[in-house]
Amino acid sequence: MSFSELVKASWHALIANPKRSFLTTIGIIIGIASVVTIMSLGAGVKKQMLRDLDTTQTGQQTAEIYYNSRDMFLNEPGFDNRDVTMLMDANLKGVAKVEILQQTKKIGMTAIINDSQQAMTADLVNKPVKQPIVAGQNLTTYDFEVKNPVMLMSDKLATKMYTTAANAVGTSVTVQQTTYTVIGVYHNKSADARLPKPLYLNSSTGKQGNGIKLTFKPGAQVSVGAKQALHQLKKSGSHHRDGRYEYIDMGKLLKGISKSISGITYFVAAIAGISLFIAGIGVMNMMYISVSERTQEIGVRLALGATPKNIMMQFLLEAIILTVSGGVIGLVIGTSVAAVASMAMPFRAIVTPASVALAFGVSTAVGIVFGLLPAKQAANKNLIDILR
């Protein structure tokens, strides 16, 4: 018999009992669908995460260098406009833009309070915030509009520096070159002061920070330019004698994250793939039953000239067709489930060629592995014993 005739014979044998054939493939369908769904979602998460970490919204690559002071109690920023100018003048390889990473929420600073130097933390706000005022008054919308140099001090810091909260109202606090007037004392345990963000960011203090961001031209080698900037800062940075500069190699970080995500995805997919082993046992069981029920058919075919190899190939093809059909259905279901699930997530599921190859490869392997023994049993049947 030719291979095409064997395929036709196998297909007709399966559709002769469609319910049993379909129920046998359910395990394959569930297993393949689970694996494809997990791998598609994992690929989507990986691509989205790497895209967010690797580039800006315009697709440009960036690198960040941070400053750490040797004095843990000193809150002086490590970067200012001098560092930006120096790096831009250094003609770093591939660097298109240099900017200071400004802190916009809770920040640490050193201030002059009651004629003494004091480390404190401050919240930056864009508008008046409702809160219990212990003494004085709250910040107003007018203060933000005209950028009044006013601030609120926490009751904890006020009592520490002025004995009572009322004594702090009307005093001055100098942060770098800007002098703020305390117009109120508020109850807060998380920060020592509250400053208007517009005034702070437009002041000389606002142009300083403990991080600096390098934006690179498309196609530039980020690690080379970043290392050049790091070397320049260590040599002549504005605070190179007071602390150390650290560059986070995003290339190595991204590779590590990529490996971790892939590892987790494959591990979860392997757990889901256990159902394929169970489904394979179901396929083997069905094929043994089929061989037992079709003993007379095997005898007739042997009597008409079919070889044991033909018999073995037919039953093996039946198992393969059964599992591959389940794999195709599982692939379609898995792809659909992943697409629907990604609608409720901040990323898009990606069906990779590896997922498609896995669906066909695994389903075919299951058919061969679990269909081989029943096929051999069918091929080993003796015509004389069958006729008896």
Side-chain angles (χ1 to χ4, degrees):
M1 293 180 69
S2 65
F3 182 76
S4 60
E5 290 175 337
L6 286 173
V7 173
K8 289 179 181 179
S10 301
W11 176 253
H12 286 300
L14 291 174
I15 62 176
N17 198 333
K19 289 184 179 179
R20 183 169 68 181
S21 298
F22 175 72
L23 291 173
T24 305
T25 61
I26 287 180
I28 302 292
I29 294 171
I30 294 174
I32 295 295
S34 301
V35 172
V36 170
T37 300
I38 293 168
M39 292 189 67
S40 300
L41 293 175
V45 171
K46 178 180 176 180
K47 184 174 181 179
Q48 184 64 41
M49 185 174 291
L50 295 182
R51 181 187 299 162
D52 292 342
L53 291 173
D54 190 37
T55 62
T56 62
Q57 291 181 351
T58 58
Q60 293 175 300
Q61 291 181 301
T62 62
E64 296 176 359
I65 298 175
Y66 293 93
Y67 170 81
N68 291 312
S69 174
R70 291 190 180 92
D71 187 349
M72 61 182 297
F73 297 103
L74 187 63
N75 288 312
E76 291 290 340
F79 296 102
D80 56 33
N81 285 333
R82 292 174 294 173
D83 298 299
V84 174
T85 302
M86 177 194 67
L87 292 177
M88 289 302 296
D89 292 341
N91 294 320
L92 302 175
K93 189 173 182 179
V95 176
K97 184 180 179 182
V98 180
E99 58 185 325
I100 293 173
L101 294 173
Q102 295 179 323
Q103 296 171 297
T104 57
K105 293 184 179 179
K106 183 180 294 184
I107 58 176
M109 60 183 67
T110 301
I112 304 298
I113 306 175
N114 198 14
D115 297 327
S116 63
Q117 192 174 40
Q118 178 71 31
M120 72 175 191
T121 58
D123 286 330
L124 301 183
V125 292
N126 280 314
K127 60 183 180 180
V129 179
K130 291 183 179 180
Q131 62 211 338
I133 300 298
V134 179
Q137 65 181 41
N138 198 356
L139 298 172
T140 65
T141 303
Y142 178 77
D143 293 326
F144 288 90
E145 292 176 350
V146 301
K147 295 183 175 63
N148 274 341
V150 293
M151 62 173 283
L152 298 179
M153 183 179 289
S154 71
D155 51 355
K156 181 180 179 181
L157 181 60
T159 53
K160 175 184 176 182
M161 302 302 299
Y162 298 101
T163 307
T164 65
N167 290 340
V169 178
T171 60
S172 298
V173 175
T174 301
V175 180
Q176 298 295 329
Q177 292 89 4
T178 304
T179 300
Y180 296 85
T181 299
V182 179
I183 62 171
V185 177
Y186 72 114
H187 179 67
N188 191 294
K189 294 181 179 180
S190 62
D192 297 319
R194 184 159 287 163
L195 304 177
K197 183 190 289 186
L199 174 64
Y200 179 83
L201 294 182
N202 287 331
S203 66
S204 60
T205 303
K207 296 175 184 176
Q208 300 180 3
N210 282 328
I212 201 165
K213 183 168 77 172
L214 308 174
T215 303
F216 292 82
K217 300 173 184 177
Q221 293 182 328
V222 176
S223 60
V224 174
K227 288 177 181 178
Q228 288 180 347
L230 184 64
H231 175 74
Q232 196 70 24
L233 287 167
K234 288 181 178 179
K235 179 181 177 182
S236 52
S238 60
H239 290 74
H240 71 281
R241 290 188 177 88
D242 304 320
R244 65 181 185 274
Y245 301 97
E246 295 180 351
Y247 157 62
I248 300 176
D249 190 338
M250 292 301 294
K252 291 183 179 179
L253 180 63
L254 292 175
K255 287 181 181 178
I257 292 174
S258 177
K259 287 182 180 179
S260 298
I261 295 175
S262 297
I264 293 172
T265 301
Y266 291 137
F267 176 73
V268 177
I271 294 175
I274 293 175
S275 61
L276 291 172
F277 178 78
I278 300 172
I281 295 175
V283 171
M284 180 183 286
N285 183 54
M286 175 200 164
M287 294 306 299
Y288 271 124
I289 295 173
S290 180
V291 170
S292 177
E293 292 177 345
R294 293 159 61 189
T295 301
Q296 290 184 349
E297 176 191 332
I298 295 171
V300 170
R301 293 193 59 198
L302 289 172
L304 293 175
T307 64
K309 183 179 179 181
N310 293 145
I311 302 297
M312 179 178 175
M313 283 299 299
Q314 179 182 339
F315 280 90
L316 185 59
L317 282 172
E318 287 181 23
I320 293 174
I321 292 172
L322 201 65
T323 55
V324 170
S325 299
V328 172
I329 298 172
L331 176 63
V332 174
I333 293 176
T335 303
S336 302
V337 171
V340 172
S342 64
M343 292 180 182
M345 299 180 181
F347 61 87
R348 183 178 179 181
I350 300 174
V351 180
T352 62
S355 301
V356 178
L358 182 70
F360 286 101
V362 171
S363 57
T364 302
V366 169
I368 294 174
V369 172
F370 292 94
L372 189 60
L373 290 178
K376 280 187 175 182
Q377 186 186 58
N380 290 334
K381 285 188 176 293
N382 188 281
L383 178 59
I384 296 176
D385 292 337
I386 294 174
L387 293 175
R388 288 175 181 175

